[in-house]
Amino acid sequence: DYFFIPPRFSFSISDLQYLFTFVVMTIVGVLFGVMNGTLRFQLNISRRIQKQTRLLYGLSRKLSESMVEAQVIEAANEFMPQLINAKYALLIPTLGEELYIAENRCAENIDMAIAQWVFDNLQSAGNGTNTFSSSKLYYVPILSKIRSRGVLVLLPDANALNFFMPDTQELVENVAQLL
């Protein structure tokens, strides 16, 4: 309109009809922009969920093929870095129900007393919980239908602000159930 409608080369409006048209076109433009942004956001979420589902399926398939502890650790080493933005350790019980460190990718010392408490009480503890909250590590029990199979210890990355968001916690619990 700046070039084609009189008065040319001016933003002044000579007819009220053009003001109405301008307002309607602005509202339509803003609505389309907001809808486009929302769709892009939902698309990104869908892609992230699709990737997580694919990785969880791959982990599940690899674990179902595992016959010995070393194969479970190999599967965890392959899929954990892609699934969870944290360093991790796997603690597995001996026949006497004492935990030992089967794999440690954490840079921190693991508090075996907290790990044993998590194993015995079947509850998460450590960073972000009400139990042993002073620890930098997050301890999650690896549960089966019958009993605890071990403990997954996680050290969230320093820039992983969303580690304790509900969707990430659900992912952590799903991984722990698979292990």
Side-chain angles (χ1 to χ4, degrees):
D1 288 352
Y2 182 78
F3 295 106
F4 302 109
I5 296 179
R8 291 180 196 197
F9 307 112
S10 170
F11 286 115
S12 64
I13 300 171
S14 62
D15 189 355
L16 195 59
Q17 173 187 347
Y18 296 128
L19 178 63
F20 177 73
T21 303
F22 174 74
V23 169
V24 169
M25 295 299 264
T26 302
I27 291 172
V28 169
V30 168
L31 285 175
F32 273 103
V34 169
M35 289 172 43
N36 187 24
T38 302
L39 286 174
R40 284 178 190 257
F41 179 73
Q42 290 175 349
L43 178 65
N44 287 336
I45 290 174
S46 295
R47 285 181 178 158
R48 183 175 51 90
I49 291 171
Q50 180 184 21
K51 179 183 176 189
Q52 286 177 351
T53 303
R54 189 174 0 97
L55 289 169
L56 284 171
Y57 175 74
L59 176 61
S60 177
R61 187 181 66 240
K62 189 102 172 187
L63 289 172
S64 69
E65 297 168 355
S66 300
M67 301 296 275
V68 293
E69 179 183 305
Q71 292 172 323
V72 172
I73 292 170
E74 179 184 320
N77 288 339
E78 181 180 343
F79 288 98
M80 286 289 289
Q82 299 172 60
L83 280 167
I84 300 172
N85 195 14
K87 294 179 178 140
Y88 65 95
L90 291 173
L91 284 68
I92 300 175
T94 62
L95 293 175
E97 297 293 310
E98 293 294 321
L99 293 173
Y100 72 95
I101 300 172
E103 180 71 15
N104 189 358
R105 300 264 172 129
C106 291
E108 296 286 321
N109 289 332
I110 296 171
D111 188 334
M112 294 304 286
I114 297 175
Q116 192 67 46
W117 185 91
V118 168
F119 180 78
D120 294 338
N121 292 291
L122 309 176
Q123 293 179 6
S124 298
N127 188 2
T129 67
N130 292 331
T131 310
F132 303 108
S133 59
S134 62
S135 175
K136 291 181 183 178
L137 301 172
Y138 180 61
Y139 298 80
V140 183
I142 300 172
L143 301 173
S144 70
K145 290 185 179 186
I146 301 171
R147 65 182 186 93
S148 179
R149 299 276 183 196
V151 175
L152 175 63
V153 181
L154 298 166
L155 175 64
D157 289 345
N159 58 358
L161 298 175
N162 63 348
F163 183 78
F164 292 103
M165 298 299 282
D167 59 333
T168 306
Q169 288 300 299
E170 184 178 358
L171 177 64
V172 168
E173 289 174 14
N174 288 337
V175 169
Q177 286 177 359
L178 285 175
L179 292 174

